Amino acid sequence: MRVQAVDVPGGGRTWTVLCDEGLPVVAIEEFLEHHRVLGSSPNTVRSYAKGLQLWWSHLARESVGWEDPGVGTLRAFVTWLRTGLSPGVAPLGPGAGTGRALAEATVAARLAAVVSFYRFQHDVHGRGAALARASARSVRPGRYRPMLAHLEGRREGRGSPLRLRSLAPAPPPVLTPVQVGAILEGCAGFEPERGEWRGSLRDRLLFATLAETGVRVGEALCLTHADWHAGRGETPFIEVVPREHPHGQRTKGGRPRRIYVSDTLERVYSDYLWLLADLADAAGRVLEDDWFVFVNLAREPRFAAMRPESVYALVGRLRRRLGDLVPAEFTPHWFRHTHATALLLAGVPAHVVMRRLGHADIQTTIDLYGWVTEDAELRAVAGWQSFCDGWRVSDG
């Protein structure tokens, strides 16, 4: 079995689960279509598809039918996710059987897919009553709450036969100002002698935008040129507008917000805009306001919206190129954590950081970044205040 990406007519992408014969698994597809109709994000559909693909594989290995497998089978599934072993199978030697080593948050996400599936089955078809009562609470309160919020409440008469253990939330990973600078220079650097940029200005603009605004990768990829407002003597800003992306990205939360940016970031965008206009003109195209900001410049189709997979491939190349200058495991989302951490360490109020990040309520911000104010020693790690200098922060 495998999870298969599906391009939607008219743009966009979704996911389904195919059986060994290459056909969609009917029960899973019905559930995923339910979420598509409800407007669940493509990432949520993808996460559910992955969880159910693993669940179906586990059922096949245990020779159990999917309609009402029982809590014991679900418990065995969690054991398998954590260790790679079936219940009752003891590992031989230290570390044996732990090759999968899934984080508890990942286990919770996979379990959430299964529980949500059986709640749907129970409500619609009357199947799987026991698993419909299971709890899929996140093991890190707050980290995954938006996607799993509908699983948190206990329905009347639905006591939970299975709960994952809760762990104290770990501080989110961050990059130091020096590491952010190394990443930006690894993309492109300005050569004063020649008066031009060397390297990929698009890539530098992408990571500079992530670092300075705290937007999610999907939100950055959804930006169009109409969303970028030059200062013209006032404060420049970008508008994060709810919008579907051709490759399944979207603005999370469905609420627009305005993010003020520095003159430095505006200059990088302006230089990139001139470069993009020249490339479009050479190709017989006219740059329009509704073009996505981050597009293919070298690969085909040229000027098409950049894929999220391309961003992660770029991060992989940067990690190899920069070596010990950056953490080996850093991802684009670290820029968002870094942005919030830098603002809080620089003394920006939590409610302002909440609005800038686009969190629905301040509790989410506190859950994620409350540790920052308790660890003032981080101020000595690097110049966080100077790192934020020039950023335009507003709670509007």
Side-chain angles (χ1 to χ4, degrees):
M1 298 186 66
R2 70 180 190 275
V3 176
Q4 178 65 50
V6 179
D7 290 327
V8 179
R13 172 171 284 199
T14 189
W15 281 265
T16 190
V17 178
L18 302 182
C19 65
D20 293 337
E21 289 75 29
L23 299 174
V25 179
V26 175
I28 297 178
E29 180 58 26
E30 180 189 23
F31 169 71
L32 297 179
E33 179 62 18
H34 168 72
H35 277 278
R36 296 186 195 109
V37 171
L38 289 180
S40 298
S41 76
N43 285 337
T44 298
V45 173
R46 185 179 189 179
S47 179
Y48 283 164
K50 180 60 180 177
L52 291 171
Q53 179 256 327
L54 292 173
W55 172 244
W56 243 251
S57 298
H58 174 71
L59 293 176
R61 186 170 47 257
E62 299 294 319
S63 300
V64 177
W66 70 266
E67 289 89 348
D68 195 6
V71 175
T73 304
L74 185 62
R75 189 163 51 243
F77 177 61
V78 174
T79 299
W80 174 62
L81 291 178
R82 285 176 173 154
T83 67
L85 296 173
S86 297
V89 179
L92 299 177
T98 58
R100 301 179 67 87
L102 293 183
E104 286 299 303
T106 304
V107 175
R110 302 301 177 235
L111 179 60
V114 176
V115 172
S116 183
F117 171 79
Y118 280 101
R119 288 186 175 175
F120 170 80
Q121 288 293 330
H122 185 259
D123 289 344
V124 176
H125 302 294
R127 300 170 179 144
L131 296 195
R133 297 196 304 271
S135 170
R137 289 184 63 183
S138 171
V139 296
R140 291 186 177 184
R143 292 293 300 273
Y144 293 86
R145 193 168 297 161
M147 186 181 77
L148 306 180
H150 59 291
L151 300 177
E152 296 290 342
R154 296 178 110 190
R155 302 184 185 181
E156 184 177 353
R158 289 189 175 184
S160 171
L162 177 65
R163 285 181 181 272
L164 290 182
R165 63 180 180 267
S166 288
L167 301 177
V174 298
L175 298 161
T176 67
V178 173
Q179 290 168 341
V180 173
I183 293 169
L184 297 184
E185 286 296 312
C187 294
F190 188 75
E191 297 181 345
E193 300 82 7
R194 303 177 59 183
E196 60 184 28
W197 292 90
R198 53 141 184 88
S200 175
L201 190 55
R202 179 204 64 182
D203 297 344
R204 180 175 180 121
L205 176 63
L206 172 61
F207 290 130
T209 300
L210 295 178
E212 184 172 324
T213 67
V215 297
R216 304 170 180 90
V217 175
E219 292 173 334
L221 294 181
C222 284
L223 290 173
T224 68
H225 294 285
D227 301 327
W228 206 293
H229 299 266
R232 297 187 178 91
E234 299 182 356
T235 304
F237 63 91
I238 62 174
E239 288 185 300
V240 180
V241 179
R243 178 181 293 117
E244 292 288 343
H245 189 269
H247 304 302
Q249 302 300 293
R250 64 160 55 176
T251 300
K252 191 171 182 178
R255 293 178 301 275
R257 68 186 189 275
R258 176 176 295 186
I259 302 177
Y260 293 97
V261 300
S262 68
D263 296 330
T264 300
L265 186 62
E266 183 191 15
R267 284 194 295 271
V268 176
Y269 169 71
S270 296
D271 288 348
Y272 169 72
L273 189 62
W274 282 109
L275 170 66
L276 185 58
D278 287 343
L279 292 174
D281 183 66
R285 303 280 297 276
V286 177
L287 179 60
E288 302 286 351
D289 282 348
D290 61 356
W291 279 29
F292 288 101
V293 173
F294 301 104
V295 296
N296 296 336
L297 298 182
R299 64 176 8 173
E300 296 296 338
R302 290 190 73 192
F303 310 118
M306 191 176 181
R307 289 180 175 273
E309 295 88 349
S310 299
V311 179
Y312 286 92
L314 171 60
V315 168
R317 292 194 297 271
L318 284 169
R319 285 196 300 236
R320 292 189 295 272
R321 187 187 314 156
L322 298 176
D324 294 339
L325 293 177
V326 298
E329 65 277 14
F330 98 86
T331 71
H333 201 69
W334 284 34
F335 287 101
R336 182 171 171 83
H337 295 319
T338 299
H339 181 81
T341 300
L343 290 179
L344 291 169
L345 288 175
V348 176
H351 74 276
V352 177
V353 177
M354 174 201 77
R355 290 176 179 269
R356 193 166 174 91
L357 294 179
H359 287 158
D361 58 77
I362 197 168
Q363 190 60 48
T364 303
T365 310
I366 293 173
D367 285 344
L368 279 168
Y369 304 109
W371 65 275
V372 171
T373 55
E374 301 171 2
D375 197 354
E377 292 181 359
L378 277 177
R379 296 175 186 271
V381 173
W384 292 101
Q385 179 68 59
S386 60
F387 184 55
C388 296
D389 285 348
W391 291 2
R392 312 294 178 84
V393 180
S394 170
D395 62 354

